[in-house]
Amino acid sequence: MSSACHKRFKILYATCHNPFGPDYGARLRSYHIAKILQKIHDISMVLMLSEPEDEKWLNQARKEFDLKATIPIIQVPRTFSSWIRKELDSRYCGIREQAVGSKGKELFWKLKKDHDLIWFHTVRIPDAFGIFEWKRTILDVDDMQSQ
């Protein structure tokens, strides 16, 4: 593909799996997707973490990728109303009963404005934001059966 025909998009790649660390399937997938995207587009990465991450692996991600932020995903208690919503609201996933706090949302919206496209690695991330219609977004749903 000639460079005259190819526009390099600015992609915000959001994943719950640091591309570096002990090997497991989702981590390897996250790494390889980021490397492939990086070859043909300009990517920035956001790690959406539900547990503290080893600084050694975060530093490796910073060296290899444009890691813009780590944003915590917090566990929210399952309530009767969330159970009803999950059963009756076809737009609501409620996969892991997790959420992104207001500071994390604010940071993500700021980063989003500087990018052409968002790539969510798994449905868990947009579900944690509680927003179910995203424009200019790719939703990588490799984990649908397990969720």
Side-chain angles (χ1 to χ4, degrees):
M1 182 177 284
S2 75
S3 60
C5 297
H6 179 70
K7 178 186 186 307
R8 287 184 68 89
F9 287 98
K10 290 180 70 178
I11 298 175
L12 183 59
Y13 180 56
T15 179
C16 293
H17 307 280
N18 188 337
F20 298 96
D23 285 345
Y24 60 95
R27 189 208 60 78
L28 293 169
R29 181 173 171 80
S30 181
Y31 173 81
H32 289 292
I33 289 170
K35 289 303 283 183
I36 290 168
L37 289 174
Q38 194 176 49
K39 287 182 181 182
I40 54 177
H41 298 291
D42 300 325
I43 73 159
S44 299
M45 183 179 289
V46 175
L47 290 176
M48 310 291 294
L49 302 173
S50 56
E51 296 177 8
E53 183 71 20
D54 187 322
E55 197 63 35
K56 172 176 72 171
W57 304 125
L58 285 174
N59 287 334
Q60 187 67 32
R62 286 182 189 105
K63 283 192 328 196
E64 187 89 18
F65 301 105
D66 180 20
L67 179 59
K68 294 289 188 190
T70 58
I71 297 175
I73 295 180
I74 54 175
Q75 195 70 32
V76 293
R78 177 171 236 129
T79 63
F80 182 71
S81 61
S82 68
W83 179 80
I84 293 290
R85 184 174 182 204
K86 185 173 182 171
E87 294 300 317
L88 300 177
D89 185 349
S90 62
R91 295 167 32 101
Y92 178 70
C93 295
I95 291 173
R96 293 193 182 195
E97 300 298 331
Q98 295 180 330
V100 176
S102 59
K103 288 181 182 178
K105 286 180 181 180
E106 184 180 319
L107 175 56
F108 193 84
W109 290 122
K110 285 180 184 176
L111 292 170
K112 178 183 174 291
K113 290 177 185 178
D114 295 331
H115 294 82
D116 301 311
L117 179 80
I118 303 169
W119 186 298
F120 286 122
H121 179 238
T122 76
V123 71
R124 176 180 173 190
I125 299 169
D127 187 48
F129 276 104
I131 298 170
F132 308 105
E133 290 186 30
W134 294 80
K135 293 184 169 94
R136 301 175 316 172
T137 302
I138 293 174
L139 178 58
D140 184 346
V141 291
D142 71 311
D143 65 340
M144 286 305 283
Q145 290 179 340
S146 65
Q147 298 294 324

